[in-house]
Amino acid sequence: MFTILFVCTGNTCRSTMAQALAQGIIKEKDLTKKIKIVSAGTSAIPDSKAAECAIRVMEDRGLSLNKHVAQQLTPDLIEEADLVLTMTRRHKQYVLSMAPHAQEKVFTLKEYVRNLDQDNYMEEKLIELASALEKVESDFYETTRDEIEKLKQEQSYLKKRLHEVERKIQDWHIRYHEATKIQREALKKAEEQLLDIDILDPIGQPVEYYKDCADEIEDAVQLVFKKILQDLPK
């Protein structure tokens, strides 16, 4: 049986949500006899319940954390796992300090996803977002080309109306930024994510923060299983 171990700090938020999401995939794909999911914390208080916000966010996805109890990470858990996925680099370093020989099977969750050969996930996402921005820019220029050319001519030949024309040009730039705002922000966010391999701790934050964290974990877990299912014996 292939065993995946998810690791965070207290084993009440991130790794528990990752475990629940992974178990949902296993159940959906009828893989309970082939894949086992475990989670643990580097500083867990044994038998602690999952965070209330984590429970609520998973319930929204049809998953339950009501019976979860936290457990402390141990060398045995690391040894028994075929794949160890941590939420941050700090967790990864902690795991490797306990089991240096496990280096080949220990990754941050986002690092593992990024390293999947078949996807080049974030790079493709950046290309997709850049292409979307380029299209919006092209469409915008195409639909406003006559307008901006006319404004430029007025600026050159009608010096007395310079202030008015410059105001119109400024207006045009504002509209341009509004027209491309969503694509530019998405591209910027993806570029930032490419450099970030940590999943931040939502503990103490509003439930919306837990939802964002769960979304990030779920996207990564889906890609993890895409890789694992390809490698499992038929």
Side-chain angles (χ1 to χ4, degrees), residues 118-220:
Q118 77 275 16
D119 278 297
N120 289 323
Y121 174 69
M122 289 307 301
E123 286 80 1
E124 289 187 4
K125 188 67 174 177
L126 286 175
I127 293 172
E128 178 186 337
L129 292 170
S131 177
L133 173 59
E134 182 179 354
K135 184 180 186 306
V136 173
E137 286 180 330
S138 176
D139 291 345
F140 186 86
Y141 276 120
E142 188 64 30
T143 57
T144 62
R145 181 184 301 170
D146 293 342
E147 177 186 356
I148 192 63
E149 287 302 322
K150 182 178 179 180
L151 289 173
K152 288 179 180 179
Q153 290 175 10
E154 288 184 36
Q155 187 180 40
S156 299
Y157 293 106
L158 303 174
K159 296 293 185 180
K160 292 180 181 180
R161 298 180 56 197
L162 179 60
H163 178 72
E164 179 182 354
V165 174
E166 287 182 339
R167 180 179 58 80
K168 289 181 180 180
I169 291 176
Q170 183 180 10
D171 233 17
W172 180 88
H173 281 293
I174 290 173
R175 284 158 46 212
Y176 161 74
H177 282 286
E178 289 178 349
T180 62
K181 180 181 179 180
I182 294 175
Q183 288 75 21
R184 287 185 292 103
E185 289 183 349
L187 180 59
K188 180 181 178 182
K189 183 177 181 181
E191 288 173 339
E192 291 172 349
Q193 290 175 344
L194 182 61
L195 301 175
D196 176 25
I197 59 171
D198 288 351
I199 294 175
L200 300 182
D201 192 350
I203 192 73
Q205 300 294 331
V207 67
E208 289 75 17
Y209 200 93
Y210 280 77
K211 290 179 180 177
D212 291 341
C213 182
D215 288 340
E216 190 173 24
I217 291 172
E218 184 171 17
D219 287 344

Side-chain angles (χ1 to χ4, degrees), residues 29-65:
K29 298 184 179 297
D30 193 24
L31 295 170
T32 53
K33 294 182 179 179
K34 290 186 176 181
I35 300 176
K36 178 182 178 182
I37 307 298
V38 184
S39 68
T42 58
S43 300
I45 300 175
D47 299 329
S48 296
K49 296 181 179 180
E52 287 298 324
C53 287
I55 293 174
R56 287 170 57 188
V57 169
M58 289 299 99
E59 284 178 347
D60 290 342
R61 289 166 164 76
L63 303 169
S64 176
L65 282 176

